[in-house]
Every structure is written in structure tokens, then in C-alpha cells.
Amino acid sequence: MEQELKLQILDPSPAAWEKISQHPLLALGTISPLQLHALYYDSRDGALQRARLAYRVRREGKEWVATLKAEGQSAGGLHQRPEWNVTVFSSEADLRVFTDSDAVALLAPFLDLALQIILETRFERLESRVDRVDGSQILVALDRGEIVANGLREPILEVELELATGEAAAVLEMGAELCLTLPLLPDGESKMFRGLRLAGLIPTDAGTMRYQTPPLRRHENAGKAFSRLLIQQSQQAISEARQHSTDNSTQTLHQLRKTVRSLRALLRFCRALDADNRLGNARQELADWFHQQNIRRDHEVLAMYWEALATDTGTEVIPLRSWLIVQAEATPAHLGQCAAAILKLWARLLRATLYSDQDLQHYAEMHLRRQDRQLMAAGDAAKTAASFHVLRIRIKNWRYVILALGDIWPSKDSKTLLKLLSALQEISGAVHDAEMAGQHLAGLATSRKHGLAFSAGMLMGYLHARESRQRKKFSRYWERLENAPRPWG
């Protein structure tokens, strides 16, 4: 079983390559690069691909090596799948070279296929073997080259950390150390997957699907259930960090922040299962990254408000919007920091799952009732801006936890409760936006930059007028929430 973490290099510059190749953790030193040329085969109608099989023949130095990979899983950059390698005499396609009984069984229906080259990869590789403190051994590969398919080319620039012996957690921990100091991010796409997309053999958006939440069973152990759920959300967050590194849009950063917020809400909810506080550092590191991004998110939200308001009123958009975007971009996304915290969290959950002597339903309902009481008390106490902010955060966290645990109550309708929480989250967010606008725009509104001052004052006035309406709306929805049935009774 192959287990490897793939890390995409985000900076294509020679300086970045030099920094990565000389990083002491990779132990590449003065190793000479190995030249690799791989040919990937399939039938004209993609029979192997439909069977979730990948077959290639690759030149590795002076040898040709045939490789078969079967269906596995790839999540959060960690690839786990069965693999068979056989040294062969040439690049000719021949499925009969595999003699392992499992490989033979998988290939039996395809031995008479007419195979053709569907894509190629050509790259240089630096290799080393690293011993970790837990006794695990990791094979390091630093690759630079290109994928060629359908007359098109796409660069290869990545680090692979393959587990030779030991625990998969060691690969994640090493990846976390590297992401923290180098321009790297976990990548869930293999070279073949990228090549298939380049060749037009899979949809262009095939790599952007969201992960499915693992099914929860109400009578399973609470510790094991929350460990699985936290790992799944960690994988989703890593995928979204990679997506943001590609798109660099307001929408992708917002989606990443939402998933990290949900992950943090679940970590807080199952804290009682972490008696030794093994996850404490990860909780704090995620909180640090999240709060660093608040200023960026605030200015991006204000830019969206202003663009809509200026368009509706026929006011010039660019000066204030440009100023807000510059302020937002002054806060880097620090995706490596985010990925490192998540990889460490994932590794700790692999090394030891959370512990509980309760089943999932009992633990979840007991703690949801407690949070329900705390939320109602926070609502009664929300008389100031600070206390209303606390209430807004509690609403968000409670909603994210209930969303994640929805499988526990399949016969009871939680939609009404979730709709109310979603509405309250949106309304309280609008109130927060007005307060946030005052913090960021008050100085600009009184400045001597006449055009900016007028636009800033106009936006502040709009948001504050909107705030009074939203507070009245919040009161109505809050009363509905107080009387809404809870799915746990």
C-alpha cells in the first residue's frame, strides 16, 4: 500500500527551488538528479480508467519500471492506494508482467486490450531517505518537469513524501514542518490525474468536488466518531487552501475560513474528549491563523458592499474599492501556516483517537443541551456591542456543530432550527459589518482625501441605517429560535 503526501511548490522561481532543495529536513544535499520519463497507457475507450486502475512504464535512470496502481483514496494531499512495481526490459505495454496474485486478479479482464499512450511525464527527481524520531522512514522526492498530453503541457513542481516504514502520521508531521517554512501546500491531484484532465479525458472541474461527510452512527463511540469527523474536515480545509492558492479570490478565502470555523467549532465541542489536551496547540494555531485573516476579510466585505452600493447609486466605484482591496491584500493569506496547523491536528488524531466511554448520541445531546442553555443566556445578556459579538460567535459555532451531527437524528426534522440559526447568523453578521465599517472607515471619512472621504461616509451611513433594521429583524428571529423544537427533544 503506497502512502504519500504530495506537496505542490507554489513559487516557481529558481530561488525557491534552491531553498527547497537545500532544506536540511529533506536531506537532499548534493545528490545528482535522476531523469525520469513515464508513459501512461489505457485503451481507446478508457477501460483501465473506468476500473480505477493506472498503468505506466517509466524510465528510471537505466531501467524501465512498470507500475500498476489500483483504486485507493486521496484526501488532503495524502494519497493511499495499492501499488505494484516490476522491472521490465522496455517501454512496451504488457499487463502480463505483473505476477502478484492481487494484481493478476485486477488485470485479468484487460489482458487482451489494445493499449495506447494517453499521456507522458518528463521530469528530474532528487531523492533521499529520511529517518524520523518515531522510527518511521520517509522517501523524499523533489520533482521538476512537465506533463505532456493531447499536445498540451503543464509544469511539474512538487515534493513527494512517501512512507517507507512506520506510521502515516510521520508523513503528515514532516509535511507540516515543511509547509510552515517553505512555499508548499498539500495537493490531492496526482500527476496522472492532472494529465488526464489536460488530455480532456476527465472534466476540467473534476478536482474541485467537496468531500462527503462520513456517515455518523448514533451508537458508535463518541471519541472515534469525532476523530473521523475532525479528520474529514481537516482534509476539506486543506483542499480549500489549495483551491485558494490557485484562484486567489475573495470567494475561495471565505470558503476556507468557513471550513476552518466549522473545524474549530467541532474541536471546541469535543474538548471534553481530549483529556490530555493533545489537540490544544492545534486549536490555538488554527485560532491564530483565523484571527490574522479578520482584517483581510473585513476589507473584502466592505469592498463588496461598496461595489453594490456605488453601482445602485451611480457613484464612482474605483477609488474606495481600490483602497479597500489594497488594505485587504496587505494581510497575506499565510496558507502554509494554516496547512501546517491542520496537518499536525490530523497527525495527532491518527496517532491516538479521542477517547470516550459514551456513544455519540449521548455525548452530542448532553453537550448540545448545555450549549443551548449557554446560547439563551448569552441572548439575554446581549446588551452591548461586545456581548452581541459573543452571541454572534455562539450562534455560528452551534450551527456548525448541528450541521456536522445531522445524521444522528435522521427521523427528526432539524431543518427549522438550522434555518433559524442561519438567518440569525446572517443578520448578526450584518450588524457586525456596520460596527466593523466604523472601525475601518471612520478615519478615512474625516480625512482630507475628498473623494475617498465622501465614499467612506456614504458607505458608513448606508451600513448604519441598515444596522437598525437588522437589529429589529434579529429580535423577531431570536424569539422564533427560543420557541423552536430541538431535534434531540
Side-chain angles (χ1 to χ4, degrees):
M1 175 71 73
E2 177 192 46
Q3 298 188 83
E4 71 176 20
L5 181 68
K6 188 180 294 291
L7 302 171
Q8 188 72 18
I9 299 175
L10 304 180
D11 183 351
S13 70
W17 177 265
E18 181 69 15
K19 182 178 180 181
I20 293 168
S21 64
Q22 296 302 314
H23 195 283
L25 191 58
L26 297 177
L28 292 167
T30 57
I31 296 171
S32 298
L34 185 65
Q35 301 300 321
L36 302 179
H37 178 204
L39 307 174
Y40 290 78
Y41 289 94
D42 202 345
S43 62
R44 185 179 295 275
D45 63 352
L48 294 180
Q49 181 192 336
R50 290 198 305 274
R52 302 292 190 267
L53 297 174
Y55 168 54
R56 74 166 185 238
V57 183
R58 188 165 72 186
R59 182 79 171 184
E60 300 181 1
K62 296 181 180 180
E63 294 183 331
W64 287 100
V65 177
T67 298
L68 176 69
K69 297 187 181 187
E71 183 176 18
Q73 59 179 347
S74 173
L78 184 65
H79 302 251
Q80 298 172 300
R81 60 210 162 194
E83 178 180 315
W84 297 269
N85 296 290
V86 178
T87 301
V88 294
F89 295 106
S90 73
S91 62
E92 293 296 318
D94 184 2
L95 297 178
R96 290 178 171 82
V97 300
F98 298 99
T99 57
D100 178 271
S101 58
D102 291 334
V104 169
L106 287 170
L107 291 173
F110 308 109
L111 294 179
D112 296 324
L113 280 180
L115 297 176
Q116 61 183 24
I117 298 171
I118 56 171
L119 64 100
E120 301 179 46
T121 60
R122 299 188 185 98
F123 56 97
E124 65 175 27
R125 166 171 286 182
L126 297 173
E127 291 183 324
S128 68
R129 183 183 291 260
V130 175
D131 295 322
R132 300 291 290 173
V133 293
D134 70 342
S136 298
Q137 285 193 330
I138 296 174
L139 302 178
V140 174
L142 178 57
D143 296 342
R144 176 170 60 178
E146 63 180 4
I147 302 168
V148 181
N150 197 29
L152 303 173
R153 299 172 187 272
E154 187 172 299
I156 295 171
L157 206 58
E158 63 191 30
V159 179
E160 292 181 355
L161 306 177
E162 182 177 351
L163 185 67
T165 60
E167 301 294 329
V171 172
L172 300 177
E173 289 159 352
M174 185 172 176
E177 293 179 57
L178 293 169
C179 287
L180 197 56
T181 57
L182 297 171
L184 300 171
L185 270 185
D187 192 350
E189 297 182 353
S190 67
K191 294 181 183 72
M192 180 180 179
F193 184 92
R194 293 171 59 199
L196 290 172
R197 187 168 55 202
L198 193 64
L201 298 175
I202 57 175
T204 56
D205 62 350
T208 63
M209 294 183 295
R210 290 182 62 84
Y211 294 100
Q212 296 298 312
T213 302
L216 296 173
R217 298 179 296 277
R218 64 178 69 185
H219 297 304
E220 68 180 304
N221 180 271
K224 292 181 179 179
F226 276 106
S227 295
R228 286 193 297 109
L229 197 53
L230 288 168
I231 288 174
Q232 180 270 329
Q233 292 217 351
S234 296
Q235 294 167 344
Q236 182 64 41
I238 287 172
S239 175
E240 286 165 359
R242 181 71 183 96
Q243 187 66 37
H244 180 63
S245 74
T246 301
D247 296 352
N248 192 30
S249 69
T250 299
Q251 292 74 21
T252 53
L253 181 61
H254 179 55
Q255 184 57 53
L256 172 60
R257 279 172 50 88
K258 282 172 60 178
T259 300
V260 171
R261 165 74 78 182
S262 178
L263 179 58
R264 292 179 60 216
L266 281 174
L267 280 167
R268 189 178 294 109
F269 188 77
C270 62
R271 191 165 185 169
L273 305 178
D274 183 26
D276 298 331
N277 199 31
R278 292 183 302 105
L279 306 183
N281 286 342
R283 278 193 292 268
Q284 186 58 53
E285 289 166 0
L286 284 172
D288 291 343
W289 176 83
F290 191 87
H291 294 309
Q292 284 174 8
Q293 300 304 309
N294 282 346
I295 293 178
R296 181 186 182 114
R297 179 60 183 161
D298 286 352
H299 284 95
E300 288 178 342
V301 168
L302 289 173
M304 289 189 292
Y305 275 127
W306 173 244
E307 191 167 354
L309 178 61
T311 301
D312 289 345
T313 58
T315 308
E316 189 175 3
V317 175
I318 292 177
L320 180 57
R321 184 184 184 280
S322 298
W323 184 87
L324 291 166
I325 294 302
V326 168
Q327 302 307 307
E329 292 177 349
T331 302
H334 292 302
L335 297 178
Q337 176 187 348
C338 177
I342 294 170
L343 287 171
K344 284 190 277 187
L345 168 64
W346 185 359
R348 285 168 188 157
L349 290 166
L350 286 184
R351 290 202 181 278
T353 59
L354 297 172
Y355 173 78
S356 178
D357 57 4
Q358 298 175 312
D359 66 32
L360 176 60
Q361 184 171 13
H362 183 270
Y363 178 90
E365 293 188 351
M366 178 178 67
H367 287 268
L368 282 169
R369 288 189 184 97
R370 178 175 59 82
Q371 286 195 344
D372 195 353
R373 293 191 296 271
Q374 292 172 341
L375 182 66
M376 294 300 109
D380 293 338
K383 309 299 182 186
T384 65
S387 59
F388 188 82
H389 176 71
V390 170
L391 176 61
R392 183 175 72 90
I393 300 303
R394 285 190 180 276
I395 290 170
K396 281 187 177 185
N397 290 337
W398 207 46
R399 174 173 171 261
Y400 285 133
V401 170
I402 295 171
L403 274 171
L405 298 176
D407 290 343
I408 298 177
W409 311 287
S411 62
K412 296 186 178 181
D413 188 3
S414 59
K415 290 182 180 178
T416 300
L417 179 61
L418 285 170
K419 283 182 179 178
L420 287 170
L421 289 171
S422 180
L424 286 166
Q425 180 177 332
E426 182 178 350
I427 297 165
S428 61
V431 173
H432 168 75
D433 292 342
E435 295 168 354
M436 171 264 291
Q439 295 171 15
H440 296 305
L441 297 178
L444 191 62
T446 57
S447 74
R448 295 187 177 183
K449 298 179 179 179
H450 177 71
L452 287 178
F454 175 80
S455 298
M458 183 176 171
L459 180 56
M460 287 175 61
Y462 165 75
L463 290 175
H464 281 294
R466 185 170 177 263
E467 177 189 6
S468 62
R469 297 193 299 271
Q470 295 297 320
R471 284 189 179 275
K472 293 177 183 177
K473 188 176 179 181
F474 184 91
S475 297
R476 296 196 301 272
Y477 274 85
W478 182 258
E479 185 176 349
R480 295 181 196 175
L481 177 66
E482 289 177 318
N483 298 313
R486 279 35 172 176
W488 50 86

